[in-house]
Amino acid sequence: MKKIVFTNWHLMRFIRLFFGLFLIFQGIETRQWFFFAFSIFFLFQALFNQGCGANGCEIPQNNKKND
């Protein structure tokens, strides 16, 4: 678990982390508690490196021809 959280940080993880923290502060400031659901989503993606990254959600191409 520590290895997942503390390694392989790249630009998209930092963007998700920043956006999640931004949504938390906006939710507190404007008292719109609905923002917390989105902030938890982005923080989870950032901390555990989940979600679509560079070619992460790409459908693999099948090069075999079915005869």
Side-chain angles (χ1 to χ4, degrees):
M1 174 84 79
K2 283 183 183 181
K3 184 178 181 183
I4 293 172
V5 174
F6 293 115
T7 59
N8 197 20
W9 280 87
H10 46 82
L11 180 63
M12 196 62 209
R13 280 183 83 175
F14 283 115
I15 291 172
R16 289 179 185 141
L17 180 67
F18 172 76
F19 195 62
L21 293 174
F22 173 76
L23 287 176
I24 284 177
F25 288 119
Q26 284 298 311
I28 292 170
E29 184 177 312
T30 61
R31 297 182 193 263
Q32 297 290 326
W33 307 115
F34 186 68
F35 284 123
F36 284 108
F38 291 112
S39 66
I40 290 171
F41 172 73
F42 284 109
L43 288 175
F44 175 80
Q45 283 188 334
L47 291 177
F48 296 110
N49 199 17
Q50 297 293 314
C52 294
N55 298 330
C57 291
E58 184 177 284
I59 298 172
Q61 297 292 328
N62 189 1
N63 292 334
K64 292 182 180 179
K65 292 186 177 185
N66 294 331
D67 292 316

